[in-house]
Amino acid sequence: MFKTKITPLALVIASLSAPASADLIISEYIEGSSNNKAIELYNNADTELSLEGYTLSLYVNGKTTIQSTLDLSGTLAANSTFVIVHSSSNDALKEKADLEHSVASFNGDDALVLMQGSTVVDSFGQRGVDPGSFWSEGAVQTQNKTLRRKDSITAGRTTPDAEFNPSEEWVQFDQDDFDGLGSHAGNGGTAPVPDPEPEPLEPLVCGAEKTLINAIQGDGSASPLVGTLVELEGVVSADFQGDEQLKGFFVNSLAADIDANPLTSEGVFVYFADTDVNVGDHVRVQGTVEEYFDATQIGSVSQVAVCGTGLAAAATKITLPLANTTDLEAFEGMLVTLEQPLVVTNNFGLGRYGEVELATERLYQGTQVALPGDAANAVETENLLKKILIDDGSTVQNLDPTAYPTPGLSAENTLRTGDTVNTITGALAYSFGLYRIHPTLAPSFIATNAREDAPELNAEADLRVASFNVLNYFNGDGQGGGFPTSRGADTEAEFIRQEAKIVSAISAIEADVVGLMEIENDGFGEFSAIASLVDALNDADSANNYAFVDFNVDQIGTDAITTALIYRANKVEEVGTAAITTEAPFDFSNRAPIAQSFKSIETDEVFTVAVSHLKSKSCGSASGNNADSGDGQGCWNEIRTQGANAFADWLDSKPTGVDDEDTILVGDMNAYAMEDPIRAFADKGYKNVVAEIDGDTLGYSYSFSGRAGSLDHAVATQSLLSKVVAATDWHINADEPISLDYNVEFKSEGQQSSLYSESAYRASDHDPVIIDIKSEITLTPEEQTPVIAADQVFAIDENSAIGTIIGTLDFSDPNADESPVVKFITSDNDSVSINNEGQLIVAGEIDYEFENRITLTVQAQDSAGNLSNIEKVAVKVNNLRSDDDNDAGSLLWLSLLLAPLSIVRRFKKK
């Protein structure tokens, strides 16, 4: 990938000065299957044309910087064609090629500009505009088609930034139709006449006088010898000479040539592939010192001689974090090694460009962990010192297989942010404004941040609320047609892939209510997007009955996307009236708020769920207080903050008509945890649930430019927050490479299969936020009141010591957690008491002869003052005197009774 920046002013001047007709035009465009890409150029003139000074440049994805440029040379015969093809195209296409070049690495949404010097002579597409997947007009589209210039078009299109209608000048043919390639307007193709052979050069002499590499590099940001023809010697440390690589090699200084200055690099890149070299070769190079986009290199190489083989190029050890972002300049071009644990912090360019950013730790957005302004900016300043990019050294986009992770990225073999690597060795280079290492040894990544299944419902919880960004879920006409739409899937096939992943994710979450963002704003009819998604969920999850909240409008607000609410009708039911508002500041930028109240079927818990999608950070037309102030919050901060305050006020007005304090708002706030909108919500009484549960703001739901942070939040009133028992972000999206999503763009046919699965992983670009809630169960007086079992009988020996435990009452307390029993009230007897635990205790003298059965009246009282029914409790007193003691007593009484009879007998004998 080679990029050149052209200023817009220069382009305007160039287009204004373009000729009315051009000798050289783009005559055929092939955007076929896989890498079958080709461009045909045609010489309109009746005379031979010199191609010197002509360039063909590729602009991708709506960018205004050049992705790749072909410098044309030689001459082209009158009325002849010149064909450039992708280097990985099939043999049938290559047979028609005059040249293989990376400028043919385009897709249907990329622009091409043909220039002569600074003058635009022709163009294809609209530079600076990304049309989605292709331009299309009048049944002519630029993706998966062959387009041939109409014979009547003899002048180039010199306005590359103007709106592009391919049907005006092009005729469409089927995909992979190469029949017309190599001829135009009835004229055949002829390869350009080559330049004359140069004069023979003096052979290089190894060991002769030379310029040292450290002298070429110098101790500043640029070489002091720019433009100087030099001869240098060194050891090849990294070889990237392949056609699909950097087309050059890196050289380290010979050991004897290394100087003592720590600021001068001992390595340099040589842009030359005509002489094959190998790592360990001692080479002598003749070429010119250049600063190629601020990278020192040897270009315009005339000769390379191999002086010896089998040498070792020692890697220089470097470490992160740096003391200064410019410290790596002293190692530019050298073989280096990092021997320390490093964390994958950015994998966005992995699939397309073979790039992975590493850092000493996970890097956060400044405003996720610090207040906007100096504190947040200080975090980002530190971030820049902690990271390095690794680059596979390939100039081919969408390499199959990818270089990382071994043996290649796939739906099952992912490389997530948070994964780690312990050693990186390779050549240090500078391009596209970044220092990068081109590894010479394959990095061994460790799945430190492995995928996890959806979190189980917390054991204490009985309700779950979640948010989910459905990544522009647009369902065409709802009947299989209507694609492409303004957003989302380009074809029905892509939509099927997208829907499968979203359904896998949402059904796995098992939330009772889900707030959705980025769903098509096309109402609630039979073929609407929301109806399509709910139908798909019910087809996939027969155990639940999903439904959507119908707001009874054709559109919510005016944006192409909206928010929505779905729920499990077998778990909760709607109560109150579904509510929306489009009052300012929701009439522009911030999307219209929605809310509905629900009741748990199991517990009767009532709560309200609202969904928000505040204005994005992209600047566009932002001005005044909405312009980027440089404090880390990006553009439109003022309107987002206004939205947060207004949303909270709207919810406080109880828009659903349900007078309940339990409210939770989920959604994409487009604001990180420490930014003004989230703090505005908190000031209004709506606290950041995940941060409150975690005790910090290190949670994240999104990754942008290698920085993690939460754009997606759940904020709740204190009454609902008190019922939250668990809160988390399920990291199925933010950590995953974008190449694993549903899209088929920028993927070979094989990758369209290998990089895709119907799993939840990379179903979107935002992680879902999941909140588990424990219902507050309201009990009837009967359900709260303690109960003492009736007819309880205990036993105790007579004369037991005071304090002896007789037994424990049989009682129940249905609401013990909230209002436990605190005392037992007794009456009718003082010899037995009952403590707060329900234990019967001897409180006085117990004598069988006096009382052999004790009866108590008992009532339990809880902390709320609830009293149980009065119950009678009996205690039998055991008589402990022996049988002999009892017999002796009986004889005594008998003797006393019989004594008078004995006297009577005596009187009778006399």
Side-chain angles (χ1 to χ4, degrees), residues 188-478:
T190 304
V193 178
D195 293 327
E197 288 293 326
E199 293 293 325
L201 297 170
E202 286 285 333
L204 296 178
V205 179
C206 295
E209 186 178 352
K210 62 192 175 187
T211 303
L212 298 182
I213 291 174
N214 45 57
I216 293 170
Q217 285 283 7
D219 58 6
S221 60
S223 170
L225 301 179
V226 171
T228 304
L229 181 67
V230 297
E231 292 187 21
L232 63 93
E233 289 190 21
V235 181
V236 177
S237 58
D239 180 6
F240 293 93
Q241 289 183 291
D243 288 341
E244 297 181 350
Q245 296 180 304
L246 303 177
K247 295 187 178 179
F249 55 93
F250 291 84
V251 178
N252 267 20
S253 295
L254 297 169
D257 294 338
I258 296 174
D259 69 9
N261 186 348
L263 299 179
T264 56
S265 171
E266 300 292 347
V268 71
F269 177 66
V270 179
Y271 181 54
F272 189 71
D274 291 351
T275 300
D276 186 40
V277 300
N278 297 292
V279 172
D281 284 354
H282 172 187
V283 296
R284 188 176 181 93
V285 177
Q286 183 183 67
T288 302
V289 179
E290 299 174 346
E291 283 293 326
Y292 185 75
F293 294 99
D294 298 323
T296 304
Q297 69 175 29
I298 306 301
S300 301
V301 175
S302 51
Q303 295 185 80
V304 170
V306 177
C307 306
T309 61
L311 279 67
T316 298
K317 186 176 180 179
I318 60 174
T319 58
L320 295 176
L322 305 170
N324 191 291
T325 53
T326 61
D327 287 354
L328 292 178
E329 180 66 23
F331 305 96
E332 181 193 56
M334 295 175 62
L335 185 69
V336 299
T337 186
L338 283 149
E339 297 176 350
Q340 64 183 103
L342 295 170
V343 177
V344 175
T345 190
N346 191 351
N347 55 15
F348 183 83
L350 170 59
R352 191 166 184 189
Y353 302 118
E355 297 174 345
V356 176
E357 186 178 82
L358 307 175
T360 55
E361 66 216 49
R362 184 181 288 277
L363 304 182
Y364 282 88
Q365 297 287 348
T367 51
Q368 178 70 20
V369 294
L371 289 173
D374 291 344
N377 291 337
V379 171
E380 179 56 23
T381 298
E382 291 297 313
N383 284 344
L384 296 176
L385 302 174
K386 297 175 180 178
K387 68 184 185 70
I388 189 72
L389 190 70
I390 63 170
D391 183 329
D392 63 4
S394 171
T395 58
V396 175
Q397 295 183 25
N398 316 306
L399 195 64
D400 187 8
T402 59
Y404 327 114
T406 304
L409 181 69
S410 72
E412 290 73 34
N413 189 40
T414 187
L415 181 62
R416 289 162 55 90
T417 56
D419 287 346
T420 57
V421 63
N422 291 324
T423 304
I424 292 290
T425 299
L428 181 68
Y430 183 85
S431 60
F432 303 117
L434 294 172
Y435 288 101
R436 60 191 63 217
I437 294 174
H438 300 295
T440 54
L441 299 174
S444 180
F445 288 98
I446 304 165
T448 310
N449 182 32
R451 291 170 172 174
E452 294 183 352
D453 293 336
E456 295 287 337
L457 183 69
N458 184 278
E460 296 183 60
D462 53 82
L463 286 171
R464 171 170 281 185
V465 175
S467 72
F468 202 96
N469 185 307
V470 294
L471 189 59
N472 293 311
Y473 179 92
F474 280 54
N475 71 328
D477 61 10

Side-chain angles (χ1 to χ4, degrees), residues 30-178:
I30 293 177
E31 209 283 320
S33 61
S34 188
N35 290 313
N36 291 334
K37 325 271 187 178
I39 288 292
E40 177 189 271
L41 302 179
Y42 178 67
N43 177 10
N44 257 322
D46 294 329
T47 58
E48 183 179 78
L49 176 67
S50 172
L51 298 181
E52 297 297 331
Y54 281 94
T55 59
L56 180 64
S57 298
L58 171 65
Y59 297 80
V60 302
N61 299 336
K63 294 180 180 179
T64 56
T65 53
I66 294 174
Q67 176 77 4
S68 180
T69 293
L70 168 62
D71 294 310
L72 296 166
S73 62
T75 59
L76 184 59
N79 304 128
S80 295
T81 60
F82 181 70
V83 176
I84 306 124
V85 303
H86 191 290
S87 58
S88 296
S89 58
N90 63 23
D91 291 341
L93 198 53
K94 285 183 177 181
E95 286 177 2
K96 295 175 174 284
D98 296 304
L99 179 68
E100 297 176 18
H101 195 274
S102 61
V103 78
S105 299
F106 51 79
N107 290 292
D109 58 349
D110 300 331
L112 293 154
V113 179
L114 180 64
M115 300 184 73
Q116 184 181 26
S118 60
T119 301
V120 176
V121 296
D122 201 1
S123 62
F124 184 93
Q126 184 178 4
R127 181 176 52 197
V129 171
D130 187 345
S133 297
F134 51 81
W135 284 277
S136 179
E137 194 81 26
V140 177
Q141 74 172 42
T142 58
Q143 182 187 48
N144 300 329
K145 299 295 179 184
T146 291
L147 303 185
R148 296 179 189 137
R149 204 72 170 263
K150 295 177 180 178
D151 291 351
S152 59
I153 304 300
T154 59
R157 177 178 173 271
T158 59
T159 53
D161 301 322
E163 185 175 344
F164 180 60
N165 177 354
S167 67
E168 290 179 350
E169 297 186 355
W170 298 85
V171 179
Q172 178 176 296
F173 295 85
D174 291 339
Q175 184 181 37
D176 292 334
D177 183 341
F178 312 146

